[in-house]
Amino acid sequence: PTRTRATPQPTQSRSSCSARFQRKRRQPIHAPVRHKHRRHPHTSHHHYLREGDPIRRQMPANLPAVVALGSQHFCLDQSDDQVKRIAKSLPWYGPKYSPHDVPSFYDVSGITEDPAVFQLVVDFFVERYRAQGETGPTHIAGFDARGFLFGPPIALALKIPFVMIRKAGKLPGVLVTSGKYVTEYSTDETVMRLGSVRAGDRVVLVDDLIATGGTALAGFDLVDQLGAKVHEFAAMVSLPFLDGVGKIHAYKEGKYKDVPCFTMVDDASIGPEMCSDPPEGTPRMVSAEQAAAMEADIVAKRAC
């Protein structure tokens, strides 16, 4: 039998395919960006931006000057307008409306509830440590609890770990203790998780303010006992009349005298006008049902 070859059937051209089988070319939302130096290893040289894609945020163009207040104590220039803006975002309360019996209790929620000022504070800390390059910190450690507000965004921006220094009884696992120490409020004990920092690490200790230096020194000793080094102690507010920085540098015959302390705002820059005590007779605590009426009453009394 004679073998015959099947006659090939004509195929449809790409243009004649049904529209539903045609591959649609993806169109860029924005004009394509051509990289002059290299291509991204996983994409073409066209970048397609979708709604919600992160955009690199610009850091402050004019950073405040840093001035020396003493040996290894540095602070932002208090005459800078940006620093004044931070200072005027820090209300304080007298003993009657404070959780502790102190003359002035500074409320950092004035910072955290204002996103623009909060970002400014974080940016100033981040740029200080980013400028140090390879000699900068390897870890950020924050004190329970207000150090937890500022430490994590700083650590995230620098892409380094954030470590919690907590009061005793709050952390699980095997812990390293500071031992008992005295603050301006009470006698406390702080702990860190075993293994959170190790020999060779450079740790920035972060808190909302420095007063007598007791809490700070507990952190210094913890980091030191774990074989790491305190790179710097950093705080939002300094209370110079309590000389916390001086006490840190004088501790144990000057064991930490070469460790810098950096503060952002001096309490004198905040001023008496930032006292936020409500009118006389206002109760310290109200129920949720009473909140709206109480707020309206406080506003009305202050307007008189």
Side-chain angles (χ1 to χ4, degrees), residues 58 72 86 148 183-184 197 238 243 256 265 274 290-291 295 301:
Q58 296 296 318
Q72 294 296 339
I86 294 170
F148 296 173
T183 72
E184 63 274 24
V197 298
S238 171
D243 195 27
Y256 302 122
V265 174
M274 291 303 294
Q290 297 172 312
E295 186 174 13
K301 287 179 178 177

Side-chain angles (χ1 to χ4, degrees), residues 231-260:
H231 182 75
E232 183 166 89
F233 174 81
M236 270 284 304
V237 181
S238 171
L239 306 178
F241 67 94
L242 292 174
D243 195 27
V245 173
K247 291 173 182 175
I248 289 172
H249 289 152
Y251 180 70
K252 290 185 178 179
E253 299 182 350
K255 181 176 183 177
Y256 302 122
K257 64 182 175 62
D258 295 325
V259 179

Side-chain angles (χ1 to χ4, degrees), residues 94-170:
K96 188 173 181 180
Y97 292 95
S98 298
H100 300 286
D101 186 16
V102 293
S104 304
F105 190 94
Y106 293 97
D107 183 9
V108 294
S109 65
I111 299 292
T112 61
E113 292 176 8
D114 186 330
V117 176
F118 195 5
Q119 187 68 69
L120 200 61
V121 168
V122 172
D123 287 348
F124 288 162
F125 280 122
V126 169
E127 284 307 290
R128 176 171 177 80
Y129 301 121
R130 181 174 286 159
Q132 296 171 0
E134 294 183 357
T135 63
T138 61
H139 293 68
I140 303 292
F143 289 94
D144 191 348
R146 289 179 290 276
F148 296 173
L149 301 175
F150 301 103
I154 297 169
L156 281 173
L158 295 171
K159 294 181 170 40
I160 60 177
F162 173 75
V163 177
M164 292 184 289
I165 301 177
R166 298 219 65 182
K167 292 178 182 176
K170 299 291 183 70

Side-chain angles (χ1 to χ4, degrees), residues 6-7 19 247 275:
T7 304
K247 291 173 182 175
C275 177

Side-chain angles (χ1 to χ4, degrees), residues 48-68:
Y48 295 89
L49 301 179
R50 298 179 179 86
E51 184 179 355
D53 281 354
I55 298 174
R56 187 177 180 84
R57 185 179 50 78
Q58 296 296 318
M59 301 301 287
N62 300 313
L63 296 173
V66 176
V67 298

Side-chain angles (χ1 to χ4, degrees), residues 170-176 191-194:
K170 299 291 183 70
L171 281 176
V174 180
L175 308 174
V176 182
V191 298
M192 292 176 70
R193 185 182 62 79
L194 180 66

